[in-house]
Structure formats: C-alpha cells, structure tokens
Amino acid sequence: MSTEGPSRQEATAARVKALESMLIERGVMTTSMVDRIVDIYENQVGPQLGARVVAKAWNDNEFRRRLLDDATAACREMGIGGLQGEDMVVLEDTDAAHNAIVCTLCSCYPWPVLGLPPNWYKGPQYRARIVREPRRVLADDFGFTVPDSVEIRIWDSSSEMRYWVLPQRPAGTEGWSEEQLAALVTRDSMIGVGPVKAAP
Amino acid sequence: MNGVFDLGGTDGLGPVNPPDSEPVFRAEWEKAVFAMYPACVGAGYFGIDQFRHGVEKMDPATYLTSAYYEHWLHSIEAHAVAVGAIDPDELDRRTQHYLDNPEAPLPEHEQRQDLLDFVDAAVSVGASAGRRTVEQPRFSVGDKVRAADISPFGHTRLARYIRGKQAVVVAHRGSFIYPDSAGNGFGDAPEHVYTVKFSSEELWGRGFGDPSGSVCFDVWDPYLESIDEKEEARSA
C-alpha cells in the first residue's frame, strides 16, 4: 500500500461517485440515464451531422440560403437540432472573410451539429487568445494560415445563440454527391480553426 | 463578476496544443458528471445561468488548472447543497468511503423509463432561452453603440474586454432570458439580444489589434448605450 494521498483523479472519482450515490437515492438520476446520455454523445451526435448540413448547402443553393437565413429551421429539415443548438446561426466563409467561433466566458458550442467540444476549445489558452491574436493562433497552434488579405471575424458565443462555420467548398468537387462532399468536412473547419480536406 | 473565467484577451497562458484526437469522455467519472447536469436541471436545482455562475465562483487557480468536468462537478455540488438536496457532511463521509473502497458499488436502485425519456427529450428538443417581452427593441442593425463600462458583482455575460468599447449592431436576435437576473436567482426578466461587432483595433488598440479583424459578441439590451444618448447626456 502506498502511504501517499490519493491522486487528483482518484479524489475526483471518489467525490463524483459519492455525489452520484446521493443523487440516485434522491431519485434524481439512475445509472441507465448516464449510459443513455453518454451513448448519445459518443455514438450519435457528432460532427458528422454538421458535415451533412455543410455538404447539402454546397450542393443546394436554396437550402444554403435557408441555412444562412435560419440555421435552426434549416437543420430541422434534416432532423438535426436540440440541446445547446436551440438558436443556431451559420457563418459563411468567402474569399473575403474567414470566420471562427469561441466562447471566452465558458465553453458554449453547437452540440447538435458538432457534438461535445474538444478539450482545447474549453481550455483557457484558446479562449484567451483567439479574440486577441486570431491569425497567430490559427497559424502557430493549428497550422492553418489565413492570408492577411482575408478579413478575420471571431464570434464569441456570449448568449444562447450558437454559431458555426460554413466553410468554402473545395475546388475539384463539381458533380460530387452530398455523401462524398460530407467526407471532406472536418470538425475544425466548422469551428473555423482548420481547413476542409482537399479533393484527391 | 470580474473573475478569471472571463478569459478573452488574457495573455501568458501558453499554446493551445490541440491533440490529433481524444475520446469524448476521458474517464468514467466524467460521464457521471455529464449526466448529472440534465438530472439536476430536471430536478429543479438550478438553471443554466445559475450553473455557469457556480463555475465562475470556483477558486481561480483550480479553475485554470483542473479538468473541464471538475468545473461542472463544483457547480452541481454547490447548487445541490444550496437547495438542501445534498448534506455536505454526508457527501464528505461518502467521498471517504469511495476513496477507501473505489470498487464499492453504487446504491441499488430501479431504472426508470421516465428519466430516459427526459434525457431523450432534452437532447432532441433542447430548452430554448427565448422569452417574450413587451418591450420594443431599442436598437436596429447599423446603430453605433457602446458596451456599458460597468462591473456587476454577480453573474453577467458582459465580458471585460468589450466594456466601454464602441461597436455596430449587426443583428437583432429576439428576446431571451437575461443572465444578470436568472444567473443570480432573480428569474427570467427577458431582454432583447443583439449581436454587435467590434473592430480588433477598437478592442486592443491600433498597432495591437488585427487591422482586418473583428469580434462579434452577443449583448443583452442593458449592456448597451446609445452613443448619441451618451454624448447628449455629457453636453447637457
């Protein structure tokens, strides 16, 4: 037996289990509730949903207009929406302007289209710097260069509006199906910190 | 409140270091904490604004260095104790019990379909913060405005880096629950929400802000001053 105290992981795990045991006894939660919500965000709700929306917008100009006009309603057409995406706004990248999202005050993120955010999005470093030196963060931390000629717009999700990015369609994809296009869309491209994949 | 959680523009925290990939949940305890959020909202222990404020009141050094879901644990525990649902001494005793016996089982309990249905409904429908108000919106797209230069003590979404700065209204989003009321336990008190756009040079100064950069930020009506009104008040 070690004579050292518990590690932080062990201490936190014990605290969580203690609180969980009491909430179970209060009738507030059950273990199957944990399994259900974890299954949803591990296996069902993720960036593949946002990628489908982007691909459809690339291939269907009418849908693209509806998406930019009311993203929540347009995503509902595809059966996509819900918790932490009740009021979504899609930001269209162009040759003249690039968009990226952040929540400097906590970790707000459009769950219904991107799933739960990666840890770096919730961490202090990204939240502190992206509003102040966006080009340098994208270049140095993500290897993603936005030319000085392109305006850079950062969207800070301070309210319940949830922003996400409609990246530009890559060249050489004329005539592609939505399924083929969706495979090019990355999570980072919908946050605004990375490119879509190039057509092979 | 002027807390460290309000990170926009803070220097010296180091690089982002995004990994190539990572699991959605990095430990079993993260899963349980994640599920506690809808469970406790469903039980009426707190709303989302109060939940955020609970995180904001963490010890700042712990906030900056702890795993993300420790923030949630802190707020859930604080609110569950505050509403009287959890006895903190009992929680301490059980924590020691599970420290001494990490494999000890959770209490036996019956699974409940109503709670699974609640999770499914919460995930697929969500909970919009949109609320009607009888007030008309005070501002229109294109209006020049200034963010109020005030420092509320309780919960607010008025980040320090925008206070006192000039912006242009780019969208009116409708009316929503007002965090400065709801987050401090005083009810929805809905207000109109606008998206306003600050140039990077307005925020950080010429030579420091990106010359072709901007930040769009959502503000509730009380966060905004009309620039004309302010100038009139000065000259009066």
Side-chain angles (χ1 to χ4, degrees):
Chain A
M1 285 283 287
S2 166
T3 53
E4 290 172 20
S7 73
R8 182 154 184 163
Q9 277 286 335
E10 288 164 346
T12 304
R15 190 73 171 176
V16 170
K17 205 164 181 183
L19 183 58
E20 185 179 7
S21 75
M22 294 178 79
L23 292 173
I24 284 171
E25 287 174 6
R26 298 289 171 280
V28 166
M29 71 186 288
T30 61
T31 50
S32 62
M33 198 178 175
V34 179
D35 296 340
R36 173 67 64 99
I37 197 162
V38 165
D39 177 58
I40 290 170
Y41 288 103
E42 281 189 339
N43 303 314
Q44 298 172 41
V45 177
Q48 77 281 0
L49 298 180
R52 281 178 47 208
V53 177
V54 168
K56 186 173 176 65
W58 282 345
N59 249 3
D60 179 343
N61 254 326
E62 283 304 312
F63 178 76
R64 186 181 128 268
R65 268 191 276 274
R66 293 199 298 281
L67 182 68
L68 296 173
D69 180 55
D70 182 344
T72 312
C75 289
R76 277 284 175 219
E77 294 175 24
M78 301 177 69
I80 294 169
L83 191 62
Q84 283 297 306
E86 294 88 349
D87 296 280
M88 294 191 285
V89 175
V90 164
L91 314 162
E92 186 179 36
D93 279 352
T94 65
D95 288 340
H98 177 76
N99 298 280
I101 62 168
V102 66
C103 173
T104 65
L105 293 170
C106 44
S107 54
C108 299
Y109 190 76
W111 294 6
V113 287
L114 298 186
L116 300 183
N119 277 289
W120 61 258
Y121 182 89
K122 304 180 285 193
Q125 294 80 12
Y126 178 76
R127 290 163 48 198
R129 287 175 55 214
I130 192 70
V131 292
R132 174 149 159 82
E133 44 180 358
R135 261 177 245 273
R136 192 173 307 165
V137 172
L138 295 183
D140 293 355
D141 297 66
F142 293 91
F144 180 50
T145 303
V146 177
D148 286 346
S149 58
V150 176
E151 181 189 341
I152 193 156
R153 296 179 188 151
I154 305 301
W155 297 74
D156 193 345
S157 312
S158 48
S159 78
E160 298 306 328
M161 307 304 302
R162 291 290 170 269
Y163 299 96
W164 56 288
V165 178
L166 173 60
Q168 287 188 281
R169 181 177 183 148
T173 58
E174 292 72 22
W176 283 35
S177 70
E178 283 176 23
E179 197 177 6
Q180 287 174 302
L181 290 169
L184 301 180
V185 182
T186 63
R187 177 198 68 199
D188 284 3
S189 72
M190 294 181 280
I191 299 173
V193 298
V196 296
K197 294 177 193 162
Chain B
M1 62 180 278
N2 290 342
V4 297
F5 68 90
D6 180 3
L7 281 160
T10 302
D11 294 330
L13 292 170
V16 179
N17 285 330
D20 290 336
S21 67
E22 65 182 2
V24 177
F25 299 100
R26 296 180 295 186
E28 290 300 307
W29 68 262
E30 294 193 346
K31 299 177 181 177
V33 174
F34 183 65
M36 283 176 195
Y37 176 78
C40 292
V41 169
Y45 293 177
F46 49 78
I48 190 167
D49 296 288
Q50 292 168 295
F51 174 73
R52 291 194 183 111
H53 193 39
V55 171
E56 291 164 3
K57 288 189 281 190
M58 281 180 77
D59 168 69
T62 308
Y63 178 90
L64 288 174
T65 54
S66 53
Y68 174 71
Y69 286 109
E70 284 188 45
H71 299 180
W72 286 35
L73 174 63
H74 178 91
S75 186
I76 290 165
E77 185 184 315
H79 284 293
V81 168
V83 299
I86 297 294
D87 171 37
D89 296 330
E90 174 68 9
L91 181 60
D92 285 344
R93 278 194 295 276
R94 291 201 191 196
T95 302
Q96 191 58 52
H97 169 70
Y98 284 118
L99 269 175
D100 296 338
N101 308 280
E103 301 306 321
L106 287 163
E108 284 192 22
H109 59 289
E110 294 197 357
Q111 303 301 332
R112 282 172 38 196
Q113 187 60 40
D114 62 322
L115 289 179
L116 298 184
D117 293 343
F118 171 73
V119 167
D120 289 344
V123 168
S124 61
V125 179
S128 175
R131 297 288 186 277
R132 289 179 188 280
T133 172
V134 295
E135 302 294 328
Q136 292 299 305
R138 195 157 55 108
F139 300 99
S140 306
V141 171
D143 284 357
K144 284 187 181 171
V145 291
R146 190 180 297 279
D149 193 4
I150 53 172
S151 293
F153 283 103
H155 180 63
T156 183
R157 299 290 278 180
L158 179 61
R160 271 175 288 188
Y161 77 94
I162 69 160
R163 292 178 191 169
K165 304 294 185 182
Q166 190 176 317
V168 177
V169 176
V170 296
H172 170 240
R173 303 298 188 187
S175 50
F176 293 83
I177 294 173
Y178 184 39
D180 297 50
S181 177
N184 297 310
F186 298 121
D188 291 352
E191 296 281 357
H192 288 280
V193 169
Y194 310 89
T195 303
V196 299
K197 182 175 180 175
F198 301 87
S199 76
S200 298
E201 291 194 337
E202 169 71 7
L203 294 174
W204 315 115
R206 201 172 292 261
F208 300 98
D210 192 307
S212 57
S214 61
V215 175
C216 290
F217 194 99
D218 288 345
V219 288
W220 284 257
D221 185 279
Y223 296 177
L224 287 184
E225 296 169 1
S226 156
I227 283 179
D228 292 341
E229 268 174 29
K230 190 174 178 177
E231 281 165 2
E232 276 167 18
R234 262 201 212 119
S235 60

